Each structure stands twice: as C-alpha cells, then as structure tokens.
Amino acid sequence: MNASSHHHRVRLNRQRNSNPILQIDRIDKTANRWKNADVLVFNTGHWWTHGKTARGKNYYKEGETLYPQFDSTEAYRRALKTWARWIDKNMDPARSVVFYRGYSTAHFRGGDWDSGGSCNGETEPTFKGAIIDSYPLKMRIVEEAIGRMRFPVRLLNVTKLTNFRRDGHPSVYGKAGDKKVSKRKQDCSHWCLPGVPDAWNELIYASLVLEPNPIAWTNR
C-alpha cells in the first residue's frame, strides 16, 4: 500500500478560485486505512521543490496559523515529525512493515545534464559529475527523523542509485510513442517505465525476503 502523509485542504480566495493549503501538523484524513496494512511505503521528494511549495507564500498551515511566508525545508522537517509521531502512535511493528522511500536529486536547471540541463538522447548512465556526489538536505532530515522513531522504519535510500540514471527520464518524450512532446520542455523528475522505479520495487522485495516479519504474517 502506497501512502501520502500530506494533509491538503482547499480554500477559496476572493475570486472564488481555489488555493491549496498544506497543513504540516495534520496527517491525511485517510490514515485510518493504513493501520491494518501488512506493508506501507511512504515517499515524498520532488513535490517539495515545486512552485508554490518551494516559495511557501500563504501555503503552509500549522494549527490555526496560515503562514504568509514559510521556509519549505523547515515545513518538510515539521511535516516529517507529524508523520513520525503518527507511525509511532498507531502502527505495530509486530504486524506491519513500513518503508520510507527517498528520492532522486532534481537536475533540470538548464545547461549540461549534471548541472541541470537536458537529458534527451542519453543512452547510458553517467558515472561522473556534480550530481553523483550530491545528497539532498531533505534526505538528511529524513534520516534524522527516522533515527528518532520507536517504530523501525526501513529507509529505502534510492538517491545515489537514481543519480546515475540520466538515461532513464522521459525527457522530451511523452505518451505519444517516439514522437517528441516538446523540443524545449524536459521532464527530468519522472522516470520511464519499465525503468528505475522497477529497481526500487525489487529492493523492497529483497528487503522483505531478507528481513521478513514472520510474526505479522504467520498469525493471520
């Protein structure tokens, strides 16, 4: 079962248009469905670098306070604490296995691939460049949060694994087969399928095989 811990609300502005709000101190309202799951996989990452999320203007809410401006990294840290508290309080390690899957470093900024540029036409992984040794601050925050938890969350750290794969992005190609969707717009935050995400699933499978939770699955 894949799960997202973000709790979104939609508010209407004066023009009656919807403005989303992220409540960093509340867990998603569907969370009760998670409690009886054998395996839960949580993840978040690039979502926190997108437009309104990164700018943080009138977007983050904590309690009854809607912050006019709030740092996205600090919001991420507090949201993870909210998630961690919920897991510790509600999940039983004798019954369930919980993964937190990390994410790959965003690289599209214009220029050479490893400094953030295009990745169309790439047919092989890269083994050198700035991105290979980069490690996002948000991944360090994840490690710290999990390290303080009672529940033994399994961190699926795919960051460096995915940094090699400049050849695995949709790039300028989309759903239209070999037809280029755009000559300029590069999609370097998603992955082609089959491809990199399949390796993530294989790692989850390997973890379950090598470190099974027999108490959870033999007492059914």
Side-chain angles (χ1 to χ4, degrees):
M1 179 177 179
N2 283 294
S4 171
S5 57
H6 306 137
H7 184 83
H8 277 94
R9 285 184 59 199
V10 174
R11 62 192 175 92
L12 298 179
N13 60 22
R14 292 178 181 176
Q15 289 74 40
R16 305 302 293 172
N17 295 322
S18 61
N19 287 335
I21 296 171
L22 186 68
Q23 296 188 254
I24 56 180
D25 61 337
R26 292 181 61 184
I27 208 73
D28 192 89
K29 61 184 179 182
T30 63
N32 282 334
R33 301 179 188 175
W34 308 342
K35 294 181 180 180
N36 294 324
D38 292 327
V39 180
L40 277 169
V41 182
F42 292 89
N43 70 284
T44 189
H46 284 308
W47 186 88
W48 288 85
T49 64
H50 291 173
K52 65 176 72 70
T53 314
R55 289 190 297 270
K57 293 183 178 180
N58 294 311
Y59 188 63
Y60 296 110
K61 188 173 183 180
E62 195 170 32
E64 296 303 314
T65 302
L66 176 63
Y67 296 105
Q69 180 73 50
F70 202 79
D71 177 65
S72 64
T73 300
E74 178 60 24
Y76 180 80
R77 180 179 283 107
R78 296 191 191 186
L80 271 187
K81 287 182 179 179
T82 301
W83 166 79
R85 283 195 299 267
W86 189 93
I87 293 293
D88 278 345
K89 180 180 178 180
N90 293 281
M91 300 302 295
D92 181 0
R95 178 182 179 87
S96 304
V97 175
V98 175
F99 288 92
Y100 190 98
R101 186 176 64 221
Y103 70 105
S104 58
T105 307
H107 69 259
F108 184 65
R109 296 289 184 279
D112 293 335
W113 179 83
D114 65 353
S115 62
S118 63
C119 57
N120 58 304
E122 299 290 351
T123 58
E124 296 180 355
T126 185
F127 296 101
K128 61 182 180 178
I131 198 169
I132 297 301
D133 297 319
S134 67
Y135 194 63
L137 172 59
K138 292 184 179 67
M139 281 301 299
R140 300 188 191 281
I141 293 172
V142 169
E143 291 181 357
E144 292 171 2
I146 290 176
R148 290 192 291 264
M149 293 176 68
R150 171 190 62 83
F151 193 102
V153 171
R154 302 185 186 187
L155 176 60
L156 188 68
N157 195 338
V158 299
T159 299
K160 188 156 189 174
L161 169 75
T162 56
N163 283 354
F164 291 106
R165 294 300 307 275
R166 66 182 177 186
D167 57 331
H169 294 295
S171 184
V172 294
Y173 299 93
K175 297 180 180 179
D178 291 335
K179 183 180 179 181
K180 290 184 179 181
V181 174
S182 169
K183 292 182 179 179
R184 292 177 297 175
K185 187 176 181 181
Q186 298 271 338
D187 183 351
C188 304
S189 61
H190 294 95
W191 298 99
C192 296
L193 292 174
V196 172
D198 296 298
W200 303 345
N201 291 335
E202 289 172 3
L203 289 172
I204 289 175
Y205 175 74
S207 176
L208 294 174
V209 170
L210 295 172
E211 298 180 63
N213 194 351
I215 298 176
W217 299 324
T218 58
N219 294 338
R220 295 299 175 95

